[in-house]
Amino acid sequence: MTTPAPAPASLDDAHLATRRITRLSVGVAVVLIAMKAFALGASGSVSILATLADSVLDLAASLTTFFAVRWAAAPADEDHRYGHGKGEALSALVQAGLVFASAIFIAWEGVQRIFDPRPVTSGVWATGVMVAAIAITAWLVWMQTQTLKKTGSVAVAGDRAHYAADLAANVVVLIGVISGAFLGAPGLDAAAGIVVAVWLFWGATGMLKAAADHLLDRAVPEADRAAITKAVLADPQVFGVHQLRTRMSGQVMMVQMHVDLDAHQTLDAAHAIVVAAENRVLAQYPAADILIHADPRGHARPQPAIPAAAPAEPQAAPAPTGPAPTGPAPKGPWS
């Protein structure tokens, strides 16, 4: 079963968390570049050259994410009535492109060194730098994971995927450095660089898919759609839910649906039922932007069937009527 998307305590808290983690990501990238440049100068290792090139692109990707999450957090304006949340997905696309470029460069360099192997010098320094790089990268990935649990940011997810791939790549590089410096096998160092390239290419493919899903308005996971439907149908005066549409815009879940209500009740009563339903959904997804259209039961316009490849959204069986609930008007992120 698909895990429901994380629901941040508030949109402001989520934006604050993403701004903090992107600052940390940029700082870590700068530190890693300095360390690996020193190790490359001392050792001449092709696998360290590979991971240095990747760290330079990490910095570019982290800077892209740094600015993207701030732009995505900007409130809706006259030209962007749904906000700027898709900026996070654009950032992830840029990251994927940078990783692809890095993978191609590293693979090319590795192939060159296989046919023209060169010894790895200063193995102790190179090994020490790579061990430190692994520790720093692992810490950053852990911090990004904690942020993702709170925000579900697609930009931070892309950055974490990048650094998680780096973490595994650094382990491979460490093996290559040890092989070239202490085992007298520089060909293994070049081979390690090629393994890094393949790993990065695979990671970039996943990042590209996630960003494309976001930009193409892929529906949120089935578990989230079921939870939304259940919350709306908690009131027995709501006879059914149809035309449920969901998508993500940055960290905001956009939700639209039609609900079947008693055709003979007043507009004021119908409004109270809809407001209460929106509040129940917001209680589970505080960063959601919800639009509910009320249909008189039995008078809703027939809708075309959803193709078999896309499962229909959950429907509800008729339920008895009861007193109309009341409550404050819901506050969505663009209110």
Side-chain angles (χ1 to χ4, degrees), residues 134-314:
I134 289 170
I136 293 172
T137 305
W139 173 69
L140 176 61
V141 170
W142 182 83
M143 293 292 292
Q144 290 173 325
T145 301
Q146 304 312 305
T147 300
L148 274 177
K149 290 179 180 178
K150 300 176 184 177
T151 67
S153 166
V154 67
V156 174
D159 212 28
R160 185 188 66 161
H162 200 165
Y163 279 101
D166 287 351
L167 181 59
N170 286 339
V171 173
V172 175
V173 169
L174 179 61
I175 295 172
V177 169
I178 293 174
S179 300
F182 303 112
L183 302 180
L188 290 179
D189 174 57
I194 295 176
V195 171
V196 171
V198 173
W199 183 274
L200 291 175
F201 192 89
W202 179 262
T205 302
M207 292 164 56
L208 184 63
K209 181 181 182 302
D213 284 346
H214 202 97
L215 290 171
L216 295 175
D217 291 334
R218 184 181 179 88
V220 303
E222 175 64 28
D224 289 303
R225 302 201 300 271
I228 292 169
T229 302
K230 182 178 179 181
V232 173
L233 294 175
D235 181 359
Q237 295 178 106
V238 179
F239 298 122
V241 173
H242 56 281
Q243 285 187 265
L244 173 59
R245 298 177 182 177
T246 58
R247 62 186 176 92
M248 295 300 298
S249 179
Q251 299 170 47
V252 178
M253 181 188 295
M254 315 297 290
V255 182
Q256 300 178 11
M257 72 185 78
H258 288 219
V259 296
D260 294 325
L261 303 180
D262 185 354
H264 303 293
Q265 63 188 345
T266 64
L267 176 61
D268 185 65
H271 173 72
I273 295 172
V274 168
V275 167
E278 291 176 346
N279 282 327
R280 290 194 298 275
V281 175
L282 285 172
Q284 297 185 48
Y285 301 95
D289 187 282
I290 308 165
L291 178 63
I292 300 180
H293 174 81
D295 285 331
R297 187 183 184 188
H299 295 77
R301 183 178 62 186
Q303 299 298 322
I306 300 176
E313 303 289 356

Side-chain angles (χ1 to χ4, degrees), residues 53-65 90-106 159 162 166 200-201 203-204 207-208:
D54 184 53
S55 289
V56 172
L57 290 179
D58 283 348
L59 177 58
S62 294
L63 285 171
T64 300
T65 306
L90 288 174
S91 167
L93 278 181
V94 171
Q95 289 189 49
L98 290 173
V99 177
F100 277 126
S102 178
I104 293 172
F105 168 75
I106 294 169
D159 212 28
H162 200 165
D166 287 351
L200 291 175
F201 192 89
M207 292 164 56
L208 184 63

Side-chain angles (χ1 to χ4, degrees), residues 62-135:
S62 294
L63 285 171
T64 300
T65 306
F66 178 87
F67 291 110
V69 297
R70 284 155 179 76
W71 187 77
D77 55 35
E78 189 64 31
D79 295 325
H80 304 87
R81 297 306 299 157
Y82 289 98
H84 301 79
K86 293 296 181 72
E88 292 198 6
L90 288 174
S91 167
L93 278 181
V94 171
Q95 289 189 49
L98 290 173
V99 177
F100 277 126
S102 178
I104 293 172
F105 168 75
I106 294 169
W108 173 257
E109 198 65 28
V111 171
Q112 295 275 70
R113 291 294 182 93
I114 284 180
F115 291 102
D116 181 23
R118 302 174 190 176
V120 176
T121 59
S122 301
V124 174
W125 278 109
T127 300
V129 167
M130 291 313 303
V131 169
I134 289 170

